[in-house]
Amino acid sequence: MSIARQFELTLLGDAEHKRAIIDGLQGLGAVHLVPLNASAGEPGPDLADDARVALTYLLSARRRRRAQRPIGEPDLKALVEDVLRNKFLREDAIDRIELIRQRRRVLKPWGDFQLPAIEELDGNRLWFYLVPVGKEAGLESVDLPWKIVNSNQRFHDLVVIARDEPDQEQVPYQRVHTGSRSLSELDAMLEETLIELEELDAERYSLTRWIGVLQDSLNHILDLHDQAVARNQALDADELFAVRGWIPQAAEPKLEEWIATVPAAYTLREPDAKDAPPTLLENDDRMGGGQVAVSFFQLPGYNDWDPSRLIFISFSIFFAMITADAGYGLLMGMALLVSWRRMSEPGSTAIRLRNLWASITGCSIVYGVLVGSYFGMSAPAGTVLNTMAVLDLNDFDTMMRL
């Protein structure tokens, strides 16, 4: 339970072998680079972002095809472009369907009609309004030609003829924007767009066969992008280049072993008070769940203390006090047993979450027994479980002190 001790690494290498050296440095998996070339930007469009969006889109599909592997090297860029094109077109179709349906709801009370041409009305237009039932008296002040064409329990549908839109004084009612298309035209557009959406859904279903390809390629894309970023951040000077970063003390033997295989040299420097090294928490899997919880909020500073173990213990106890029921604790334990094998992959974060889950479950059962609560009910008087209930949930003063 500690914050890893860090050294500042400065590495000089042969410029001709820059790519290979930086790739090897990445292979160590222990260096946090600091940019030396402040003017360097991103190495171009990041295909990883697009691939991640495309993969998420395919994974959210309701139905998937059987996975397929291409015979040769897949054209990943073209595949991502096809998936994103389908995504954007499908979203546009869904938006248009909602817009048409909304327009139909507005137009339906007025019926299926076609607006006459302006020339037929001698330059006038039709303006549509809703007159609340009981507010018909206001129509007496309307000097423009008007007619109520429909009525229901809430509104009268009013049509006014005028060259320009009447102001609030001329027609003191809420105007309705019906648009220029008739109900029949909207129905035809809706049907056409629904068919378009079906075709896009079918194409999406077909594209789901490449989910495995995208998943396998994403990490490789991320590696290539990170390597390009690192090369851009390096400082080039004639036949040499330099990179700087932070490396934990435990990784120094790996660095020494690797540096002997490449045309490069390095120096290490301990941080001083002005430095702000990145924080690397070192906790074993037994209480590493506390580290996961800490990382979710904010890592402590390099010169602070690691609260992971305290978080592990206190979170388990506080969760148990909030649940305060041994029955629910047993349910959590049963769910944990079902998931135990899936959460036991060596080296994975799942092991730490599994152990935190086990601690929460154990504390919940113990605390539930101490307060004598089992699915919201107390144990029968005279039983062993009843005698083990030594805390009273209704004693608020004691609960607050605890």
Side-chain angles (χ1 to χ4, degrees):
M1 182 187 69
S2 64
I3 296 176
R5 185 184 179 191
Q6 301 271 8
F7 291 119
E8 185 187 60
L9 166 69
T10 302
L11 182 144
L12 295 177
D14 187 342
E16 292 184 3
H17 300 84
K18 179 179 178 180
R19 179 184 291 269
I21 294 173
I22 289 182
D23 292 354
L25 192 63
Q26 184 195 39
L28 295 177
V31 181
H32 181 94
L33 289 183
V34 177
L36 285 179
N37 187 2
S39 61
E42 287 289 319
D46 185 3
L47 181 60
D49 288 341
D50 290 341
R52 191 180 294 109
V53 173
L55 178 60
T56 302
Y57 174 66
L58 294 182
L59 288 173
S60 64
R62 293 183 179 180
R63 299 188 304 124
R64 302 181 191 173
R65 282 190 56 179
R66 186 170 59 87
Q68 182 175 338
R69 297 287 176 179
I71 298 176
E73 187 71 20
D75 187 347
L76 189 63
K77 184 177 180 180
L79 173 60
V80 170
E81 289 177 352
D82 287 343
V83 175
L84 294 183
R85 179 189 55 80
N86 178 274
K87 177 179 183 294
F88 297 143
L89 290 177
R90 185 174 179 275
E91 290 174 348
D92 178 67
I94 292 174
D95 290 341
R96 282 188 282 123
I97 289 171
E98 180 59 30
L99 183 61
I100 294 171
R101 285 174 173 169
Q102 182 179 354
R103 183 65 66 186
R104 287 187 77 260
R105 286 193 293 268
V106 173
L107 187 58
K108 190 173 182 179
W110 301 89
D112 189 8
F113 64 92
Q114 184 70 47
L115 286 173
I118 297 179
E119 295 78 12
E120 296 179 15
L121 296 178
D122 193 24
N124 289 286
R125 300 175 185 270
L126 299 182
W127 309 92
F128 301 85
Y129 295 87
L130 292 179
V131 180
V133 173
K135 301 289 185 179
E136 300 88 345
L139 291 171
E140 298 178 0
S141 64
V142 179
D143 295 330
L144 298 169
W146 60 267
K147 183 177 179 60
I148 291 179
V149 297
N150 191 22
S151 298
N152 55 42
Q153 295 179 346
R154 298 181 58 198
F155 297 103
H156 301 292
D157 299 330
L158 174 69
V159 179
V160 177
I161 300 178
R163 288 182 178 273
D164 300 315
E165 180 180 359
D167 56 30
Q168 193 68 21
E169 293 183 359
Q170 291 176 298
V171 183
Y173 299 111
Q174 175 187 351
R175 186 190 160 194
V176 177
H177 297 270
T178 59
S180 60
R181 300 185 183 276
S182 67
L183 203 57
S184 299
E185 291 175 328
L186 290 177
D187 288 338
M189 290 174 59
L190 179 61
E191 184 66 21
E192 181 181 346
T193 311
L194 286 172
I195 293 174
E196 179 184 346
L197 180 60
E198 287 182 357
E199 293 174 349
L200 289 170
D201 283 338
E203 183 184 18
R204 182 189 190 186
Y205 171 68
S206 177
L207 288 170
T208 56
R209 69 187 189 275
W210 304 116
I211 286 178
V213 174
L214 284 174
Q215 288 175 325
D216 293 344
S217 302
L218 188 56
N219 284 337
H220 178 62
I221 297 171
L222 290 172
D223 282 345
L224 294 178
H225 179 261
D226 290 343
Q227 290 167 7
V229 171
R231 290 193 296 271
N232 279 7
Q233 292 177 343
L235 184 63
D236 296 308
D238 298 328
E239 299 178 354
L240 296 175
F241 76 93
V243 293
R244 179 170 292 167
W246 295 96
I247 184 169
Q249 184 180 21
E252 187 178 355
K254 290 172 57 179
L255 177 65
E256 289 183 357
E257 181 180 352
W258 168 76
I259 206 71
T261 65
V262 293
Y266 74 92
T267 61
L268 295 178
R269 179 182 68 84
E270 290 200 29
D272 54 33
K274 298 181 296 183
D275 293 318
T279 301
L280 176 64
L281 300 181
E282 293 182 328
N283 293 279
D284 57 29
D285 288 340
R286 290 176 300 173
M287 289 193 170
Q291 176 178 320
V292 176
V294 170
S295 302
F296 179 78
F297 295 101
Q298 183 176 356
L299 290 174
Y302 178 75
N303 294 314
D304 296 333
W305 62 285
D306 180 8
S308 299
R309 182 164 299 190
L310 177 62
I311 292 293
F312 183 95
I313 298 172
S314 61
F315 185 79
S316 301
I317 295 174
F318 291 160
F319 190 97
M321 293 176 66
I322 293 171
T323 307
D325 195 292
Y328 293 120
L330 288 172
L331 284 181
M332 290 190 293
M334 293 171 60
L336 176 60
L337 288 177
V338 172
S339 307
W340 189 272
R341 178 172 294 181
R342 281 192 298 113
M343 302 182 70
S344 300
E345 183 180 349
S348 67
T349 304
I351 290 183
R352 299 186 170 196
L353 295 177
R354 181 202 68 188
N355 293 340
L356 178 60
W357 189 353
S359 176
I360 290 172
T361 299
C363 290
S364 297
I365 294 174
V366 171
Y367 189 79
V369 171
L370 293 178
V371 298
S373 179
Y374 303 88
F375 298 110
M377 298 178 292
S378 301
T383 61
V384 176
L385 293 177
N386 182 263
T387 59
M388 297 173 66
V390 295
L391 295 176
D392 183 6
L393 282 175
N394 296 319
D395 185 357
F396 297 110
D397 292 337
T398 301
M399 292 295 102
M400 290 301 297
R401 285 196 297 272
L402 181 57

